[in-house]
Amino acid sequence: MIIILNNKCNLSKEEFIEYQETLKTIKSPYKMVLAPTFLNINLFDLENFNLASQNISAFNEGAHTGEISGKDLKKSNVTYSLIGHSERRKDQRETNRDIQEKIKRALENDIIPVLCIGETKSGRQSNRIEEVIKKDIIEATCNLTEEEIKKIIIAYEPIWSIGTGLIPKNKDIEKVNKLIKKILPNNTIIYGGSANEENIDLLKKCSSIEGYLLGGLSLHPDKLQKFINKI
Ligand code: PGA
């Protein structure tokens, strides 16, 4: 089981320092990973967490203003990177082609890619979940070797569930995870989208979930501890 905290665009330097003090007290038998903002990455100072970035550049160096390379992330002790989060696909118009390049840069720098995929509300309503999931996986991994693909963690995050308080029915999560396993039998699959200390009682009954990606809950260490205890 792996639990990844995605701070998104939250926590100033001062707030992050205080936040880390609370995270130090988190007790978990599971692998814990923290994805702070880029500015907070070099303030990371936790022995009970691994470090992740929320994004990685498709370039290793050069004339790419505003980019942060896998090479530099590695030097700052980053060992995981979120790639293709739906907020980046939407806000930065990231395509599966960009995402594939980012996965390659992560792997070249010995960073574990956490590939985020999931359907929109309209995708769900029009019964296109299978199509979207397959497309996102195939287009993001088509030029990678089997060995490389195995290293990717898949985060299934239904977009309509992120930050909304809504979660899919367990049987729907199981169905999607089964499809993912059919395409990628050796990859770890985690769930993301409004997971919290209350609905974990339900979510934990999904045997196909091997971890969680937590946005909102990442900002509430007390609730996070409850969440972990309930798993
Ligand atoms: P949420 O975010 O837990 O706030 O829904 C999850 C995510 O965006 O990774």
Side-chain angles (χ1 to χ4, degrees):
M1 179 75 60
I2 176 167
I3 299 178
I4 306 177
L5 309 187
N6 177 9
N7 286 168
K8 305 195 178 184
C9 187
N10 294 299
L11 302 177
S12 66
K13 179 179 168 183
E14 293 74 20
E15 287 166 342
F16 185 73
I17 291 169
E18 217 181 298
Y19 167 76
Q20 278 204 120
E21 286 309 307
T22 328
L23 284 193
K24 277 183 188 157
T25 66
I26 294 286
K27 301 252 175 311
S28 171
Y30 313 119
K31 187 180 278 272
M32 300 299 294
V33 181
L34 175 63
T37 64
F38 276 123
L39 284 178
N40 287 337
I41 277 184
N42 284 330
L43 299 172
F44 178 80
D45 178 29
L46 292 171
E47 280 172 10
N48 50 345
F49 279 77
N50 293 271
L51 183 58
S53 60
Q54 297 177 17
N55 179 34
I56 183 170
S57 175
F59 308 99
N60 258 337
E61 61 191 352
H64 305 289
T65 304
E67 292 292 299
I68 302 196
S69 71
K71 235 160 95 180
D72 285 344
L73 290 173
K74 189 69 194 175
K75 280 191 197 137
S76 290
N77 302 317
V78 166
T79 48
Y80 294 81
S81 182
L82 304 183
I83 299 182
H85 189 283
S86 62
E87 286 153 12
R88 295 198 57 83
R89 290 181 192 254
K90 182 168 161 273
D91 300 345
Q92 274 71 35
R93 297 196 166 70
E94 272 185 16
T95 64
N96 284 331
R97 171 94 217 150
D98 302 325
I99 288 164
Q100 186 188 129
E101 287 304 313
K102 290 180 179 214
I103 292 176
K104 285 187 195 158
R105 296 301 87 73
L107 292 169
E108 281 164 16
N109 289 290
D110 212 14
I111 291 172
I112 299 171
V114 181
L115 170 62
C116 303
I117 54 172
E119 79 285 358
T120 58
K121 191 173 172 188
S122 66
R124 166 154 295 231
Q125 283 163 346
S126 55
N127 258 326
R128 289 178 51 244
I129 303 180
E130 192 170 326
E131 185 191 319
V132 172
I133 297 291
K134 268 191 188 158
K135 183 173 185 285
D136 283 350
I137 293 179
I138 291 167
E139 290 184 2
T141 60
C142 58
N143 291 316
L144 303 177
T145 66
E146 237 172 79
E147 274 316 298
E148 287 172 329
I149 292 173
K150 267 190 215 163
K151 295 181 183 154
I152 303 171
I153 294 176
I154 304 293
Y156 171 51
E157 299 204 294
I159 297 170
W160 55 272
S161 172
I162 296 176
T164 59
L166 303 171
I167 57 166
K169 292 200 177 82
N170 280 8
K171 70 170 182 22
D172 293 336
I173 299 178
E174 297 280 26
K175 203 169 151 192
V176 173
N177 288 354
K178 200 169 154 193
L179 169 70
I180 298 171
K181 276 280 176 210
K182 210 167 139 193
I183 311 170
L184 302 172
N186 301 308
N187 294 64
T188 299
I189 307 173
I190 66 175
Y191 171 80
S194 293
N196 63 33
E197 76 290 2
E198 282 164 16
N199 58 30
I200 186 62
D201 292 322
L202 261 177
L203 287 170
K204 72 177 182 188
K205 292 184 185 145
C206 278
S207 56
S208 60
I209 296 180
E210 299 167 279
Y212 295 92
L213 179 50
L214 306 173
L217 199 72
S218 80
L219 303 172
H220 301 280
D222 49 330
K223 293 182 183 170
L224 172 68
Q225 186 65 66
K226 278 191 196 145
F227 179 90
I228 295 166
N229 297 347
K230 282 190 174 182
I231 310 175

